[in-house]
Amino acid sequence: MAILPILEYPDPRLKRIARPVTEFTPEIQRRVADMAETMYAAPGIGLAATQVDDHRRIIVIDVSPDKSDLKVFINPELIEADGEIVGEEGCLSVPQVFDRVRRAAHIRVRAQDATGKPFELEATELLAVCIQHEMDHLMGIVFVDHLSQLKQMRVRNRMNKRHREAQRA
Ligand code: NI
């Protein structure tokens, strides 16, 4: 397994729209394992393939407190979404930035696992928020894009500063 480099906002590659996975090869299973390792090492509770510059519809999530419940969503689709929840979100591609985003409170998602087997899952609370956040990534959307223009500008300035400092170091 390997820890993959994570793209950081405002990298334009985060805006790419992911394409569906059509063949469930061993390479896909390796990619899922590497994404899980990268997410756990960060540490984070979710990672979309877009964030590791792989533009296929693959997501890994684990919101359990003891990191014992890895969920893999390939080609995820929301088939139900209702209610409203506002939670504070962060993102491995936007380190140290947290803000409130409005999401559906209850969702039902249809997806395939790493072997291509289809499944459906109902989610509320943190898991529902996390699935919607990661599915946004597959559409080229970062949670910052849901904030006001002023906040987006502040985040961009902060991240640009972070990247300048990293270059100098
Ligand atoms: Ni994210």
Side-chain angles (χ1 to χ4, degrees):
M1 294 207 295
I3 292 179
L4 308 165
I6 298 175
L7 300 178
E8 290 196 359
Y9 182 87
D11 192 308
R13 290 171 290 182
L14 288 169
K15 288 190 175 293
R16 285 183 57 181
I17 294 175
R19 61 185 189 278
V21 172
T22 51
E23 281 184 277
F24 291 79
T25 59
E27 185 270 330
I28 290 287
Q29 282 138 40
R30 272 198 304 277
R31 175 48 43 132
V32 166
D34 288 345
M35 284 176 58
E37 193 182 8
T38 303
M39 171 184 75
Y40 287 127
I45 58 172
L47 187 72
T50 309
Q51 294 176 272
V52 292
D53 201 23
D54 180 337
H55 302 279
R56 294 178 291 183
R57 295 182 60 79
I58 306 172
I59 288 170
V60 293
I61 289 177
D62 189 342
V63 296
S64 70
D66 57 351
K67 304 291 162 213
S68 62
D69 187 21
L70 179 65
K71 288 183 162 48
V72 177
F73 300 85
I74 298 181
N75 302 327
E77 275 178 89
L78 281 190
I79 51 176
E80 275 176 47
D82 47 67
E84 206 176 278
I85 186 172
V86 178
E88 186 152 83
E89 297 187 22
C91 179
L92 293 177
S93 293
V94 200
Q96 291 154 37
V97 173
F98 301 89
D99 214 322
R100 290 155 63 83
V101 179
R102 191 181 310 273
R103 303 283 186 185
H106 163 253
I107 61 169
R108 181 178 265 291
V109 60
R110 182 182 293 151
Q112 286 162 282
D113 70 13
T115 66
K117 194 171 140 236
F119 66 94
E120 283 186 20
L121 181 90
E122 211 168 338
T124 58
E125 301 184 13
L126 181 58
L127 181 58
V129 168
C130 194
I131 291 170
Q132 291 170 84
H133 175 119
E134 302 310 334
M135 284 183 70
D136 265 4
H137 277 301
L138 301 180
M139 295 303 295
I141 297 167
V142 178
F143 85 98
V144 176
D145 298 332
H146 292 290
L147 307 178
S148 69
Q149 290 297 321
L150 178 65
K151 282 184 174 175
Q152 289 187 37
M153 194 178 71
R154 282 196 195 129
V155 173
R156 226 174 290 127
N157 289 340
R158 187 167 163 174
M159 292 298 295
N160 287 335
K161 185 171 172 230
R162 171 186 160 92
H163 297 144
R164 276 196 308 273
E165 280 168 0
Q167 265 172 5
R168 232 181 284 130

